Amino acid sequence: MSAPFTDLTGTDSFTETLRQENIDTWLSATNHRFVTELFDGSIAPQVMAGYLVQDYRFLDTFLALIGGAIANADTLSGRLRLAQFAGEIAGDENTYFLRSFEALGVTEQQRDSVPDTQATTGFKRLFLDAASSGSYAGILSVLVVCEGLYLDWASKAPAKRPESFVHHEWISLHDYPEFHELVDFLRRELDRVGPADAQTAREFFSRTVALEQLFFDESYRHPLI
């Protein structure tokens, strides 16, 4: 298996510099109560259901973000890898959500009627802002956090996974060899183009890390009743 996120970034890399600038919030997210309870399977079904409903809400804008990355990439190899990434999100991950909603008893009416949380609203705005920014570095900064932060916590999961597929598949979706390779690709791309557009990258990176922590926090404030 490839190295975890923190080993993919050299101590003097641009990506690691951005992470260190946001290290307190990054660590708060990757060591969150949500992660701990996901690992041992103790997370309340209402919390997990609310979290997944909100996460699924911005699947549309996340695909728009990847589309923006494809449009602004400066190499054919980059466009091809990003297009493959979009297909992965539209395939296996989308299927996981639908299976999980069924297992948790989440109806389509609930999925449609529950209001967006502050974090969900923030993510939707963030993805559209980045996608329309015209900045490949800015888009990559958002993607590196969204995927790299999840790799960081998922790669620390204990060998014994929880019994429910809702829990253990959410972990494994963010900790398998091809996912490690995806994060490595995103990191290398940001290290390559980021320094030339550092301020934009820095702003989007920081904004994304803060939203990741808030999203975990709000899963407990807004469980699905």
Side-chain angles (χ1 to χ4, degrees), residues 64-222:
L65 176 69
I66 302 173
I70 295 169
N72 288 281
D74 56 352
T75 65
L76 175 60
S77 61
R79 290 187 204 277
L80 290 172
R81 183 61 189 92
L82 289 160
Q84 181 184 350
F85 177 33
E88 292 162 358
I89 295 295
D92 290 347
E93 189 157 325
N94 183 64
T95 300
Y96 162 81
F97 277 108
L98 299 179
R99 290 169 56 231
S100 295
F101 290 143
E102 182 177 1
L104 291 166
V106 178
T107 66
E108 189 170 350
Q109 190 275 335
Q110 286 176 303
R111 284 162 42 195
D112 293 340
S113 64
V114 174
D116 286 353
T117 64
Q118 179 184 346
T120 297
T121 300
F123 268 124
K124 287 181 175 180
R125 183 73 266 158
L126 170 71
F127 296 157
L128 293 177
D129 286 349
S132 63
S133 70
S135 169
Y136 187 39
I139 296 169
L140 286 168
S141 291
V142 177
L143 290 173
V144 164
V145 175
C146 288
E147 305 308 310
L149 188 145
Y150 269 57
L151 170 61
D152 197 3
W153 65 253
S155 63
K156 299 170 185 173
K160 181 177 172 53
R161 300 290 170 87
E163 291 185 7
S164 170
F165 84 84
V166 176
H167 302 150
H168 71 71
E169 286 190 22
W170 192 239
I171 298 169
S172 62
L173 276 169
H174 300 97
D175 182 28
Y176 63 98
E178 291 78 13
F179 188 72
H180 286 246
E181 291 166 5
L182 168 68
V183 174
D184 189 20
F185 159 75
L186 294 172
R187 185 270 302 174
R188 285 186 280 106
E189 287 288 273
L190 182 55
D191 285 343
R192 180 175 64 84
V193 304
D197 195 6
Q199 188 56 36
T200 301
R202 181 167 281 110
E203 290 172 357
F204 275 115
F205 195 100
S206 178
R207 189 173 162 189
T208 311
V209 175
L211 281 170
E212 290 288 5
Q213 180 186 12
L214 180 62
F215 194 76
F216 282 145
D217 288 345
E218 289 196 329
S219 297
Y220 291 89
R221 298 175 194 157
H222 303 284

